[in-house]
Amino acid sequence: MRETTALGVDIYVAGWGHTRFGKLDDSLEDLVVASSSEAISAAGLEPGDIDAVFLGQFNSGIHPLGFAASLALQVSDDLFGVPATRVENACASGSAAVHQGVGALLAGTARSVLVVGAEKMSSASAATVGAGLLGADYEHAGSTSSTGFAGLFAAVARAYNDRHGDCSDTLAAIAAKSHANALSNPYAHLRKDLDEAFCRTVSERNPMVVDPLRRTDCSPVSDGAAALVLTISPSEYTRDGLVRLLGFGQANDFLPAPKRDPLAFAGSALAWQRALTMAGVTPGDLSFVELHDCFTIAELVLYEALGLTEPGQGLSAVRDGWPRRDGRLPINPSGGLKSKGHPVGATGVSQHVMAAMQLTATAGEMQLESPRIAAVHNMGGLAVANHVSVLAAL
């Protein structure tokens, strides 16, 4: 890790807020205001100290309000006049908003920014949600579907089976790991202790969604919000302390599927390389990773695409146990998208919040032992929009 960051200025995550994820009665506005209010207060700031707001939200017709940027101003009248921008980059909208906030700090146009990620999905029908999510796919945008991206990631799983052998049992092990981790996360949508045998077996409670993906291989449709304050001028009155941004990276891949190897996740690999290079760290320096496991097959492929294991060796990685919370590199100690939930625009911000909680030893029952450096990986579409951040404890 570099003694000083390559950013030219120290950027801190200074406060955060997080609602529970799940099927909630709260409105989109309720979720945004609750998480934003908590984040500003936790940063030891007043609403008038915020210079810009960035809201990550995908929406894509899932929620009727298509113009949500100013919802955070409902926190306080003191936010009147603060520039607020909605950021959309499919399922990476949250991390895209984080990186836009970083950009404002680096540009010198702000000293403290509020970043919010939020999505209200459960009030829409399965067909509406499926069609909305497919708006992030080049070939299927505009089509009607009740399975949405499950069909696309099922094709990835079949490609993996063809190239490396049957991964069904490995996916079940990943699902069981996610459920076990989420039991310790009070914000998680699915706090259910489902073991490998349950996740492996197709049943009435665990039906096949799209072969070979079972329900336990898929993240749920969730409501929720998360928020954080990024600053170059931290208050001495923060609630939980500070986390430093060491590096970040973004890389976009081509939209047409024929231009992408379904098992390469090449854009994710490049964003990962850019972020770790900027941070001056290697995978061996990381204490844990929060990565984008919208489906269990995504987590398996990412082990390989990010260089955490060799191509085709993700199967043995799970068997060896190193991604578990007591392994050498815990993956998704929060439960990940798979079990924590996946309110699309909130996901990337939530991942940063979960990492910050670990690095400040405020993660409660989720807490790992003395983590120092974390990576956050968030992607939109089938690894088309890719964002990675590297965070460090002080």
Side-chain angles (χ1 to χ4, degrees):
M1 183 177 69
R2 301 179 192 277
E3 290 297 321
T4 57
T5 70
L7 301 173
V9 62
D10 285 333
I11 294 177
Y12 301 97
V13 183
W16 45 87
H18 204 294
T19 72
R20 189 170 65 85
F21 282 3
K23 294 185 177 182
L24 309 177
D25 293 332
D26 308 77
S27 69
L28 179 66
E29 180 177 331
D30 292 337
L31 296 168
V32 169
V33 170
S35 58
S36 299
S37 298
E38 183 184 359
I40 295 170
S41 175
L45 300 177
E46 297 296 330
D49 296 322
I50 299 299
D51 299 313
V53 176
F54 296 93
L55 170 70
Q57 185 203 23
F58 178 51
N59 196 345
S60 191
I62 296 171
H63 188 276
L65 181 62
F67 180 47
S70 284
L71 284 181
L73 274 61
Q74 296 296 91
V75 168
S76 169
D77 289 350
D78 291 340
L79 286 169
F80 170 77
V82 172
T85 305
R86 175 184 162 214
V87 180
E88 184 277 310
N89 218 3
C91 294
S93 296
S95 287
V98 171
H99 289 178
Q100 288 297 305
V102 171
L105 298 176
L106 292 176
T109 58
R111 298 184 68 80
S112 297
V113 302
L114 172 68
V115 180
V116 195
E119 211 78 58
K120 178 70 179 177
M121 305 177 72
S122 70
S123 54
S125 68
T128 297
V129 172
L133 294 176
L134 282 178
D137 184 72
Y138 182 78
E139 284 81 12
H140 296 88
S143 64
T144 301
S145 169
S146 61
T147 57
F149 259 71
L152 304 181
F153 276 89
V156 174
R158 292 192 294 270
Y160 194 98
N161 288 345
D162 291 342
R163 195 175 301 182
H164 301 303
D166 183 18
C167 64
S168 181
D169 288 354
T170 301
L171 300 186
I174 290 173
K177 170 184 69 69
S178 298
H179 281 289
N181 289 348
L183 288 173
S184 300
N185 186 349
Y187 303 106
H189 186 163
L190 300 178
R191 300 184 74 189
K192 300 178 179 180
D193 189 9
L194 304 180
D195 62 17
E196 286 188 38
F198 180 90
C199 296
R200 184 167 52 245
T201 306
V202 176
S203 65
E204 184 177 351
R205 292 180 59 208
N206 188 28
M208 189 70 72
V209 177
V210 185
D211 191 25
L213 298 183
R214 300 143 298 204
R215 178 179 290 168
T216 49
D217 293 309
C218 308
S219 59
V221 172
S222 310
D223 307 324
L228 55 83
V229 171
L230 296 171
T231 185
I232 58 173
S233 300
S235 164
E236 61 181 303
Y237 301 111
T238 61
R239 181 189 66 189
D240 300 314
L242 302 171
V243 170
R244 188 162 59 131
L245 176 70
L246 295 184
F248 66 101
Q250 178 184 355
N252 276 51
D253 207 336
F254 299 108
L255 273 171
K259 300 189 74 171
R260 290 180 275 116
D261 180 336
L263 300 184
F265 283 24
S268 283
L270 182 55
W272 177 265
Q273 176 189 343
R274 287 172 172 168
L276 268 63
T277 298
M278 181 183 291
V281 302
T282 68
D285 297 316
L286 300 176
S287 302
F288 67 96
V289 180
E290 288 285 341
L291 59 73
H292 194 99
D293 62 328
C294 49
F295 300 90
T296 52
I297 184 61
E299 179 167 331
L300 176 59
V301 172
L302 284 164
Y303 293 164
E304 302 173 12
L306 303 183
L308 304 179
T309 189
E310 294 298 318
Q313 298 303 307
L315 302 169
S316 61
V318 176
R319 187 166 55 247
D320 294 343
W322 63 255
R324 300 184 185 279
R325 62 175 296 110
D326 58 353
R328 64 173 173 82
L329 183 62
I331 303 294
N332 293 335
S334 69
L337 287 61
K338 164 66 199 76
S339 298
K340 173 165 59 77
H342 185 25
V344 176
T347 285
V349 182
S350 171
Q351 291 176 304
H352 285 80
V353 170
M354 293 293 116
M357 290 171 67
Q358 290 285 355
L359 293 169
T360 53
T362 58
E365 293 183 9
M366 291 184 286
Q367 188 64 51
L368 300 172
E369 185 177 352
S370 304
R372 299 301 302 166
I373 302 175
V376 169
H377 164 273
N378 185 201
M379 67 186 186
L382 213 165
V384 172
N386 305 273
H387 294 258
V388 176
S389 302
V390 181
L391 303 173
L394 295 188

